């Protein structure tokens, strides 16, 4: 079964149709590496009718050849589209560095330079084209680091990206063994074989030696070396997100067992502090197996027509500046039956909990692979789980967010490869109505084999479910298909188990304040000067600071939807002079904000 699944995954990753109608070019990157690109003029675009351009990145193991017609909706809507073979993949040269900010992000800078010279490309100013970015997985991760490095990126729509590679591949020091093997197998064909047929001449690109080392060492020992950990940590985008100040729509997969909902949540929370326009969508798909039949998704690709529509609306609103374009509520998510839900804020407000408790019991630790078998990228229910806790529900509750598990344990045993006395048990929430693990997710919980009593309270991986009357069940097991095989022999005595699932508030259609919680300012300039810094204050508290070569507009988001407030913007020019704009804002009143004082030099 596992062999067939891996073969199917590789086929999905590599079965892309040939490009048609593209203007193909070799772009030379910062270090001389040739990057194979395809430029598609948008419908109606010309030198006389220039249009914005979207850089569309591909997934891991893919190429710039259009994936399932991905560029078509953007081209039909009039956007130019640029696709490319990422460094080390397809016909491009170089070594795959997994979207490193000092390597692949600099490749994107060279691509933006290329867009600048295209006759159909709309320019904001000389050398600065109007550019957005889109793409899934590997093509999602590149967007954050590119926007952090290059201020010419104006809008991004990352689909199933990561927040931190180490926490994604090695959460709580437990290796995602199945995904590591799949990623190596999926990357080899396009990072090695296709390079022999490159239009830039034979390219001998390959994946980074650190990646091979992490996989081979991790699979054999269950651990990553300190050098490999450090290499994954330096990729970001977590430590770069404070520099990302462009409108961002994040789409994450509810059944994604590689870059799970927690990765998307952490990205959103980091960007929220920047005051930039944000939207979150959770669809059924990503790096995993979607098991709903309605507008769900597809492994590795967004797959959801609803998500695709929202992404296009996001580009229309923030890249093209169409005021009437409505990308919908701040947060939208799909449940296990394929129905969409919404909230006017993210995360949605928690109004209560579903809970359960158990006295616990022993969990036997036996080395080896999961004896139940199953799919290596999906958690499955265990009818013989040693710890099972019932979680009753009335039905209809919206369970969105991280379950929380608490228990006391003491453990004795030995491990075959680890010298730190650490092993793991795994917690998962089972949907009793369908007898599937919610979101296909299991969460590793570190266990110390020291014979001492420990109390553990841990959030599990986020889930998105609409409860049925059958309720849920917490299972604590010693093995999971998602992670490394159990390497310990011994037993864990578990007691005093409790679990809580967050119940969130649904969007109420008749809310009095549904006005968008953002306001745009045109930055006023003194003749002959440029605005190089802009600060925004809400009721006297600084909310946003932006810097640039010539700032034209400032957008504030996350403003309260009710009550009056004063918004003050201070624009600093390259000469040192300042212009102050002050506005009164009421989140429940229709119409434009009223200017209380005209801008004046100071």
């Amino acid at each position: 079964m596992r062999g067939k699944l891996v073969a199917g995954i590789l086929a999905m990753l590599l079965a892309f149709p040939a490009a048609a109608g593209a203007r193909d070019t070799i772009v030379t990157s910062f270090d001389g590496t040739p990057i194979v690109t395809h430029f598609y003029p948008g419908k109606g675009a010309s030198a006389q009718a220039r249009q914005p351009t979207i850089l569309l990145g591909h997934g891991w193991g893919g190429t710039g050849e259009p994936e399932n017609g991905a560029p078509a909706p953007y081209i039909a809507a009039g956007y130019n589209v640029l696709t490319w073979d990422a460094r080390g993949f397809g016909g491009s040269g170089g070594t795959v560095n997994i979207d490193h900010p000092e390597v692949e992000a600099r490749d994107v800078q060279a691509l933006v330079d290329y867009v600048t010279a295209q006759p159909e490309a709309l320019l904001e100013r000389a050398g600065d084209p109007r550019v957005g970015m889109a793409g899934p997985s590997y093509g999602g991760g590149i967007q954050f680091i590119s926007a952090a490095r290059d201020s010419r990126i104006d809008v991004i729509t990352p689909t199933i990206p990561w927040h931190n590679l180490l926490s994604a591949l090695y959460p709580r020091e437990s290796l995602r063994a199945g995904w590591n093997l799949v990623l190596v197998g999926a990357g080899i064909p396009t990072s090695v074989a296709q390079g022999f047929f490159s239009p830039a001449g034979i390219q001998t690109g390959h994946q980074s030696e650190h990646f091979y080392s992490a996989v081979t060492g991790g699979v054999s020992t269950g651990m990553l070396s300190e050098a490999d950990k450090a290499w994954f940590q330096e990729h970001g985008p977590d430590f770069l997100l404070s520099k990302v100040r462009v409108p961002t729509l994040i789409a994450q997969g509810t059944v994604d067992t590689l870059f799970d909902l927690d990765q998307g949540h952490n990205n959103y929370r980091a960007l929220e502090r920047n005051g930039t326009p944000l939207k979150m969508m959770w669809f059924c798909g990503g790096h995993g197996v979607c098991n709903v039949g309605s507008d769900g998704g597809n492994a590795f690709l967004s797959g959801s027509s609803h998500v695709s529509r929202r992404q296009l609306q996001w580009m229309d609103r923030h890249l093209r500046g169409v005021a009437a374009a409505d990308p919908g509520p701040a947060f939208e998510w799909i449940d296990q039956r394929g129905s969409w839900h919404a909230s006017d804020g993210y995360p949605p407000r928690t109004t209560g909990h579903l809970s359960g408790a158990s006295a616990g019991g022993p969990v036997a630790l036996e080395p080896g692979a999961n004896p139940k078998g199953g799919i290596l990228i999906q958690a499955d229910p265990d009818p013989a789980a040693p710890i099972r806790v019932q979680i009753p529900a009335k039905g209809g509750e919206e369970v969105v967010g991280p379950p929380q598990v608490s228990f006391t344990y003491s453990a004795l045993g030995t491990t075959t490869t680890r010298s730190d006395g650490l092993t793991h048990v795994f917690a998962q929430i089972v949907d009793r109505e369908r007898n599937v693990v919610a979101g296909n997710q299991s969460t590793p919980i570190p266990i110390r084999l020291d014979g001492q009593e420990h109390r553990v309270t841990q959030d599990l991986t986020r889930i998105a479910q609409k409860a049925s009357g059958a309720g849920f069940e917490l299972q604590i097991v010693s093995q999971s298909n998602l992670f490394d095989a159990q390497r310990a022999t011994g037993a864990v005595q578990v007691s005093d188990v409790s679990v809580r699932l967050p119940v969130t508030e649904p969007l109420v259609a008749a809310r009095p304040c549904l006005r968008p919680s953002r306001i745009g300012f045109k930055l006023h300039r003194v003749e002959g000067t440029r605005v190089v810094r802009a600060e925004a204050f809400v009721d006297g508290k600084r909310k946003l600071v932006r810097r640039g070569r010539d700032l034209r507009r400032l957008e504030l988001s996350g403003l309260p939807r009710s009550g009056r407030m004063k918004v003050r913007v201070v624009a600093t020019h390259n000469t040192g002079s300042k212009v102050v704009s002050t506005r009164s804002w009421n989140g429940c009143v229709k119409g434009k904000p009223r200017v209380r004082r005209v801008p004046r030099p100071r």
Side-chain angles (χ1 to χ4, degrees), residues 46-315:
S46 67
Q48 293 73 40
R50 292 172 173 254
Q51 299 298 332
T53 302
I54 294 173
L55 272 58
L56 181 61
H58 60 73
W60 180 265
T63 69
E65 301 290 336
E67 304 174 22
N68 296 330
Y74 294 117
I75 296 170
Y79 292 99
N80 307 315
V81 175
L82 177 76
T83 67
W84 71 102
D85 293 5
R87 171 182 293 253
F89 286 119
S92 293
T95 296
V96 180
N97 278 272
I98 315 185
D99 284 350
H100 196 289
E102 296 301 323
V103 184
E104 280 84 359
R106 296 175 73 181
D107 294 340
V108 171
Q109 286 184 299
L111 297 178
V112 176
D113 291 341
Y114 168 76
V115 170
T116 301
Q118 303 315 298
E120 300 90 350
L122 179 66
L123 304 183
E124 293 188 350
R125 59 189 67 86
D128 186 357
R130 189 72 179 160
V131 169
M133 294 189 73
S137 189
Y138 198 59
I142 189 66
Q143 297 178 47
F144 289 124
I145 62 172
S146 296
R149 188 178 184 96
D150 194 332
S151 62
R152 296 175 297 175
I153 305 297
D154 299 296
V155 182
I156 58 176
T157 56
T159 301
I160 51 176
W162 61 89
H163 176 72
N164 177 281
L165 274 178
L166 184 63
S167 68
L169 297 171
Y170 196 55
R172 300 177 180 91
E173 297 193 42
S174 183
L175 186 74
R176 292 192 192 269
W179 271 117
N180 275 268
L181 291 172
V182 168
L183 291 173
V184 168
I188 288 174
T190 50
S191 64
V192 178
Q194 291 192 19
F196 289 100
F197 306 99
S198 170
I202 294 177
Q203 300 298 317
T204 57
H206 55 86
Q207 297 172 46
S208 167
E209 297 303 326
H210 276 286
F211 186 56
Y212 288 123
S213 168
V215 173
T216 56
V219 171
S220 62
T221 67
M223 302 175 66
L224 296 184
S225 70
E226 292 303 315
D228 290 337
K229 287 183 187 178
W231 186 75
F232 281 122
Q233 285 282 35
E234 70 186 29
H235 283 68
D238 51 351
F239 60 86
L240 294 167
L241 293 176
S242 63
K243 300 179 180 179
V244 178
R245 299 182 178 276
V246 297
T248 304
L249 190 162
I250 302 171
Q252 214 75 29
T254 59
V255 294
D256 195 316
T257 54
L258 175 60
F259 303 144
D260 55 36
L261 296 178
D262 290 352
Q263 298 286 317
H265 171 85
N266 292 337
N267 282 330
Y268 188 100
R269 282 304 214 185
L271 293 171
E272 190 176 39
R273 293 190 284 269
N274 299 342
T276 188
L278 287 173
K279 179 179 173 69
M280 175 74 87
M281 298 190 76
W282 290 356
F283 66 96
C284 188
H287 308 84
V289 180
C290 178
N291 47 26
V292 306
S294 172
D295 197 27
N298 204 321
F300 303 99
L301 302 174
S302 72
S304 169
S305 58
H306 184 58
V307 171
S308 299
R309 285 193 299 269
R310 290 303 197 204
Q311 289 172 331
L312 183 56
Q313 291 163 341
W314 191 259
M315 291 293 185

Side-chain angles (χ1 to χ4, degrees), residues 585-601:
W585 174 263
N586 188 322
C588 283
V589 177
K590 294 182 179 180
K592 295 181 179 180
R594 184 159 52 95
V595 179
R596 299 294 300 274
R597 189 170 69 231
V598 297
R600 66 182 189 277

Side-chain angles (χ1 to χ4, degrees), residues 188-541:
I188 288 174
T190 50
S191 64
V192 178
Q194 291 192 19
F196 289 100
F197 306 99
S198 170
I202 294 177
Q203 300 298 317
T204 57
H206 55 86
Q207 297 172 46
S208 167
E209 297 303 326
H210 276 286
F211 186 56
Y212 288 123
S213 168
V215 173
T216 56
V219 171
S220 62
T221 67
M223 302 175 66
L224 296 184
S225 70
E226 292 303 315
D228 290 337
K229 287 183 187 178
W231 186 75
F232 281 122
Q233 285 282 35
E234 70 186 29
H235 283 68
D238 51 351
F239 60 86
L240 294 167
L241 293 176
S242 63
K243 300 179 180 179
V244 178
R245 299 182 178 276
V246 297
T248 304
L249 190 162
I250 302 171
Q252 214 75 29
T254 59
V255 294
D256 195 316
T257 54
L258 175 60
F259 303 144
D260 55 36
L261 296 178
D262 290 352
Q263 298 286 317
H265 171 85
N266 292 337
N267 282 330
Y268 188 100
R269 282 304 214 185
L271 293 171
E272 190 176 39
R273 293 190 284 269
N274 299 342
T276 188
L278 287 173
K279 179 179 173 69
M280 175 74 87
M281 298 190 76
W282 290 356
F283 66 96
C284 188
H287 308 84
V289 180
C290 178
N291 47 26
V292 306
S294 172
D295 197 27
N298 204 321
F300 303 99
L301 302 174
S302 72
S304 169
S305 58
H306 184 58
V307 171
S308 299
R309 285 193 299 269
R310 290 303 197 204
Q311 289 172 331
L312 183 56
Q313 291 163 341
W314 191 259
M315 291 293 185
D316 287 344
R317 173 67 180 86
H318 295 288
L319 186 61
R320 183 164 276 155
V322 179
D326 182 11
F331 177 43
E332 296 183 79
W333 61 277
I334 197 170
D335 66 25
Q336 73 276 17
R337 297 181 183 88
S339 297
W340 282 94
H341 305 263
S343 173
D344 60 1
Y346 179 84
R349 189 168 70 92
T350 299
T351 59
H353 294 86
L354 302 178
S355 59
S358 166
V363 178
L365 302 176
E366 298 179 0
N370 193 338
K372 301 189 304 299
I375 301 174
L376 76 169
I377 58 169
Q378 172 179 302
D380 296 310
D382 186 351
I387 307 293
R388 302 173 68 178
V389 182
Q390 303 307 307
I391 309 169
K394 295 179 180 179
E397 297 96 334
E398 295 186 2
V399 178
V400 181
Q404 187 181 80
V405 171
S406 297
F407 60 85
T408 299
Y409 80 88
S410 61
L412 283 173
T414 59
T415 62
T416 56
T417 59
R418 301 189 72 122
S419 60
D420 55 5
L422 182 73
T423 190
H424 297 82
V425 295
F426 302 89
Q428 57 193 31
I429 303 298
V430 175
D431 176 355
R432 295 186 62 199
E433 180 185 46
R434 300 187 302 149
N435 192 35
V436 298
V437 173
N440 303 334
Q441 304 287 348
S442 65
T443 304
I445 299 177
I447 298 294
R448 295 287 175 186
L449 299 169
D450 57 6
Q452 303 297 310
E453 187 173 275
H454 302 272
R455 183 69 181 172
V456 171
T457 298
Q458 182 171 311
D459 285 349
L460 306 187
T461 305
R462 282 171 169 76
I463 60 174
Q465 299 269 302
K466 189 166 185 178
S468 71
F472 301 91
E473 179 180 274
L474 166 69
Q475 295 183 349
I476 299 178
V477 296
S478 64
Q479 302 270 15
S480 171
N481 287 325
L482 293 178
F483 295 94
D484 183 46
Q486 181 60 253
R487 295 177 183 269
T489 301
V492 184
Q493 184 62 43
V494 177
S495 61
D496 190 19
V497 185
S498 64
V499 57
R500 299 198 314 169
L501 309 184
V503 175
T504 58
E505 181 183 39
L507 179 66
V508 179
R511 292 195 178 198
C513 301
L514 294 180
R515 183 179 182 177
S517 58
R518 61 175 175 258
I519 179 174
F521 282 85
K522 181 179 179 181
L523 298 174
H524 296 272
R525 298 178 295 168
V526 177
E527 185 176 356
T529 67
R530 303 188 312 274
V531 177
V532 295
R533 176 185 171 94
E535 298 174 275
F537 299 82
V538 178
D539 285 338
K541 296 182 180 180

